[in-house]
Amino acid sequence: MEEIIIFKGWADEAIKLTALNEADLYILPSRREGFPNSLLEAMASKLSVIATEVGGVADLVVNGFNGLLIDPGNVDQLSEAILFMINNPEKRSSFGFNARKSVITQNSIETACKTFEEI
């Protein structure tokens, strides 16, 4: 696995941005999450994502539009999703484009301020 996956460990801002820019895919196979900033950062970087449908993840990822959602702990779904992304670069690119667009339109500071004003 070490031949194809790079485990970076803790990363400061510069290393994180470089890693996101070099990545082809972002995978967040959590069993529990709140509203994961790392997922927002990956999506803002135009990365296609695979994530488990836990916590606030489903508020960010629309399955089949800006990424893929899988069940927590389902290794078969995870491997199928990874293979799908590898074998469908056009779809992966489309998901990444849609991911960035989703973050900009739904999670920008302007959108948050408007939501707070409405509340």
Side-chain angles (χ1 to χ4, degrees):
M1 189 182 316
E2 288 82 10
E3 295 173 10
I4 59 171
I5 298 174
I6 301 168
F7 293 97
K8 296 258 187 192
W10 176 257
D12 65 21
E13 190 72 17
I15 292 171
K16 176 180 64 177
L17 292 175
T18 299
L20 288 171
N21 287 327
E22 292 175 351
D24 295 314
L25 178 62
Y26 184 81
I27 304 169
L28 186 67
S30 300
R31 291 184 184 270
R32 291 189 189 105
E33 281 293 339
F35 193 77
N37 284 332
S38 65
L39 185 59
L40 276 172
E41 291 169 336
M43 293 173 72
S45 297
K46 273 191 178 176
L47 282 174
S48 183
V49 299
I50 299 170
T52 47
E53 194 168 359
V54 295
V57 171
D59 294 332
L60 299 171
V61 180
V62 178
N63 193 41
F65 174 71
N66 59 10
L68 296 175
L69 290 172
I70 61 171
D71 296 328
N74 192 323
V75 176
D76 291 333
Q77 279 185 349
L78 178 58
S79 61
E80 288 172 16
I82 292 169
L83 287 173
F84 175 84
M85 293 294 198
I86 290 170
N87 294 321
N88 294 281
E90 309 84 23
K91 197 58 129 168
R92 189 175 68 235
S93 177
S94 173
F95 286 170
F97 177 83
N98 292 339
R100 179 164 172 77
K101 186 176 177 182
S102 297
V103 169
I104 290 170
T105 59
Q106 298 170 10
N107 299 97
S108 67
I109 291 173
E110 293 80 14
T111 303
C113 289
K114 183 178 177 182
T115 301
F116 284 127
E117 285 176 2
E118 291 172 0
I119 292 172

